[in-house]
Amino acid sequence: MRALTWHGKQDVRVDTVPDPVLRDPDDIVVEVTTTGLCGSDLHLYLLLGAFLDVGDILGHEAMGIVKEVGPAVTAVKPGDRVVIPFNVSCGTCFMCERGLHSQCETTQVHEHGTGASLFGYTKLYGQVPGGQAQYIRVPFGNTLPIPVPHGPPDDRFVYLSDVLPTAWQAVEYAAVPRGGSLAVLGLGPIGDMSCRIAAHRGAETVIGVDLVPERLERARSRGVQTLDLKESKDGLTDAVRELTGGRGPDAVIDAVGMEAHGSRVAGAAQTMTTLLPDALAAGLMKTVGVDRLAALYAAIDLVRRGGTVSVSGVYGGAADPMPLLTMFDKQLQVRMGQANVHRWASDILPLLTDEDPLAVDGFATHRLPLEQAPDAYEMFQKKQDGAVKVLFTP
């Protein structure tokens, strides 16, 4: 089969690799019909090479048609249409039963002290072959894949793999009261969808902050009050407070993470890790606070006293300094974590109807053949051509 594989920093290639096969009785093999490019994939493209091997198959946002099932699989059959959550979760352990599928005890990576394994995402999370490929092996065939109906286009359902549940959890964790206010930092796929979900769930004021004109216009066209970071960087707090009665929003979502435009020193430290031998680079990335924390600091500054900061952007440093005095003084609540896909699927599925209240049908900005994935990675990383969400057809 053809699959997108990692070969080094900013070097991904579509190679011919062996087809996946059933390994366990409850495995299934899915023929991928659509797979997405995620902002988290850029961390692999740029920074996390110390935790990858040449030839690793990337991607964690896939859906398709069941091709083959193991002898213990009864929940789906060949020909069924399914979405594959990015968490590799068993669905039956202590954590999964409590809706914490990203902490699945069956697939936790104890070697690195991390949570549930993820498709297509480094040794830190199990090094499970990903979904930017023609076929993918999916374990836990009775509990992991999400069956969806035939008929509507893939764009209707593919975001159930990551974008929708990640944004839904970000809004849920933000706990915006009905009629309340929310600021979203970063209007990439997760930030954009968080704005849509928050408005759908009753937030009266939704403010989106970014510095890419196309992303700002895209959010503005759906009724979001937007602020261009390039124009209001020094006065961002004042600008947001002016839109929220002078006190700040009830909640702020940090949908940026470690790709924030901030500390040059931290950015240089991140880049430096890619030049070190893997053993040294891995240790540095796991133990040193090298993240660019501009977005997180801004969220803490912007939110009203007694408000909530919801972090959906991914951070990598284990020793990042936090402004605990400010957080304590403002009596903030902070919630974060990998999205628990199955926890939110039943809430989201009823919205994926022909009425399409979240406008998922037109959410993708680019749909490309998988063979063009290397160029797409570069385009997305450089924020060119208005790229917000790229979908591949294997």
Side-chain angles (χ1 to χ4, degrees):
M1 71 172 181
R2 301 289 280 171
L4 187 82
T5 61
W6 184 87
H7 285 265
K9 181 182 178 183
Q10 293 180 281
D11 183 3
V12 294
R13 308 173 192 175
V14 180
D15 293 331
T16 299
V17 302
D19 288 359
V21 297
L22 301 175
R23 291 194 331 208
D24 296 316
D26 61 348
D27 282 352
I28 66 173
V29 172
V30 174
E31 181 177 3
V32 177
T33 54
T34 297
T35 182
L37 172 56
C38 178
S40 296
D41 292 327
L42 296 182
H43 302 155
L44 314 184
Y45 186 63
L46 291 167
L47 296 172
L48 297 179
F51 302 105
L52 290 160
D53 291 329
V54 171
D56 280 354
I57 300 173
L58 306 184
H60 57 272
E61 300 183 349
M63 69 172 293
I65 305 298
V66 177
K67 178 188 177 186
E68 189 177 1
V69 303
V73 176
T74 58
V76 296
K77 62 184 184 304
D80 285 352
R81 191 184 194 194
V82 295
V83 174
I84 304 163
F86 76 93
N87 317 122
V88 184
S89 56
C90 71
T92 57
C93 70
F94 177 92
M95 290 294 178
C96 288
E97 287 180 346
R98 285 154 180 78
L100 295 169
H101 298 85
S102 67
Q103 309 302 321
C104 174
E105 291 183 329
T106 305
T107 70
Q108 284 175 12
V109 185
H110 298 292
E111 178 184 356
H112 295 288
T114 52
S117 296
L118 309 177
F119 285 105
Y121 213 80
T122 81
K123 299 171 187 175
L124 289 173
Y125 289 97
Q127 208 170 22
V128 181
Q132 289 171 0
Q134 291 180 306
Y135 298 95
I136 182 172
R137 182 186 72 89
V138 180
F140 311 115
N142 289 314
T143 53
L144 182 55
I146 301 173
V148 295
H150 289 278
D154 280 6
D155 294 48
R156 184 75 55 85
F157 300 115
V158 68
Y159 305 115
L160 269 174
S161 61
D162 183 351
V163 173
L164 280 166
T166 297
W168 192 276
Q169 179 170 296
V171 174
E172 179 74 17
Y173 282 6
V176 184
R178 179 166 290 277
S181 55
L182 172 71
V184 178
L185 305 182
L187 294 173
I190 303 304
D192 185 338
M193 186 57 73
S194 294
C195 290
R196 301 180 187 203
I197 290 169
H200 174 77
R201 294 180 58 171
E204 182 174 324
T205 302
V206 180
I207 303 163
V209 181
D210 206 296
L211 42 67
V212 180
E214 295 87 350
R215 296 184 177 194
L216 290 162
E217 176 55 35
R218 178 177 159 105
R220 193 180 303 121
S221 69
R222 294 192 58 82
V224 176
Q225 299 185 60
T226 59
L227 293 172
D228 188 335
L229 188 61
K230 289 182 293 188
E231 297 176 359
S232 58
K233 182 176 182 180
D234 293 333
L236 179 62
T237 299
D238 291 339
V240 170
R241 286 180 180 168
E242 186 175 338
L243 295 172
T244 54
R247 67 176 60 90
D250 296 306
V252 178
I253 292 175
D254 172 5
V256 178
M258 64 183 177
E259 291 181 329
H261 295 261
S263 166
R264 292 181 180 178
V265 174
Q270 287 181 340
T271 301
M272 182 182 71
T273 65
T274 68
L275 306 176
L276 297 172
D278 283 356
L280 293 176
L284 185 62
M285 285 298 291
K286 288 176 68 175
T287 61
V288 179
V290 297
D291 292 320
R292 286 172 277 186
L293 298 172
L296 183 56
Y297 286 161
I300 292 167
D301 186 45
L302 293 174
V303 71
R304 68 163 171 82
R305 291 179 177 273
T308 301
V309 173
S310 173
V311 182
S312 64
V314 176
Y315 287 94
D320 289 315
M322 294 289 290
L324 292 175
L325 176 61
T326 300
M327 296 164 68
F328 181 85
D329 180 65
K330 293 185 73 171
Q331 200 169 331
L332 302 185
Q333 298 184 73
V334 181
R335 295 201 68 182
M336 65 188 75
Q338 297 277 14
N340 306 297
V341 175
H342 265 287
R343 169 66 181 83
W344 311 114
S346 60
D347 294 315
I348 298 167
L349 269 169
L351 303 178
L352 304 182
T353 62
D354 287 341
E355 289 74 23
D356 194 16
L358 301 178
V360 294
D361 282 350
F363 191 70
T365 54
H366 295 73
R367 180 179 268 281
L368 302 169
L370 183 64
E371 296 292 332
Q372 295 181 25
D375 292 336
Y377 266 72
E378 181 178 6
M379 173 185 68
F380 189 42
Q381 189 269 321
K382 293 180 178 178
K383 299 180 173 65
Q384 296 173 336
D385 196 29
V388 177
K389 190 61 188 179
V390 180
L391 296 179
F392 298 125
T393 304

